[in-house]
């Protein structure tokens, strides 16, 4: 899911959103990987990895929604939506 969203932002030439989502996931990983692994082992590591991916998807979805809501015709390159 996040790959499709990243491709959408690249097509819209708005890669700052991709950077913001990646930075948010990196911050989550830095904050929670060590404690999760220490307390829960491999399950904790997998949980943090899944949470980071969900965070990327949520950030990108929110930013994409804001971009399309602000200027739907500009964001789509002048194309009309169905």
């Amino acid at each position: 899911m996040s790959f499709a969203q990243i491709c959408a932002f690249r097509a819209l030439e708005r890669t700052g959103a991709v950077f913001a989502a990646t930075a948010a996931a990196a911050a989550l990983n830095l904050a929670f990987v060590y404690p999760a692994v220490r307390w829960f082992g491999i399950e904790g590591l997998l949980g943090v990895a899944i949470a980071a991916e969900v965070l990327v998807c949520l950030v990108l979805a929110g930013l994409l929604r804001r971009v399309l809501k602000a200027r739907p015709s500009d964001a789509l390159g002048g194309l009309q939506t169905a």
Side-chain angles (χ1 to χ4, degrees):
M1 182 74 177
S2 67
F3 181 73
Q5 292 172 329
I6 289 170
C7 288
F9 274 107
R10 287 183 180 160
L12 295 173
E13 297 179 358
R14 296 181 187 262
T15 55
V18 176
F19 175 76
T22 305
L28 178 93
N29 280 324
L30 286 173
F32 292 110
V33 164
Y34 180 73
V37 170
R38 185 163 183 188
W39 292 332
F40 301 110
I42 191 71
E43 292 87 2
L45 178 64
L46 292 173
V48 172
I50 291 169
E53 187 65 26
V54 169
L55 179 66
V56 167
C57 288
L58 290 175
V59 169
L60 289 175
L63 293 173
L64 185 60
R65 183 174 177 212
R66 184 170 29 159
V67 166
L68 292 176
K69 193 174 187 180
R71 290 183 237 153
S73 61
D74 275 350
L76 297 175
L79 297 175
Q80 297 294 324
T81 57

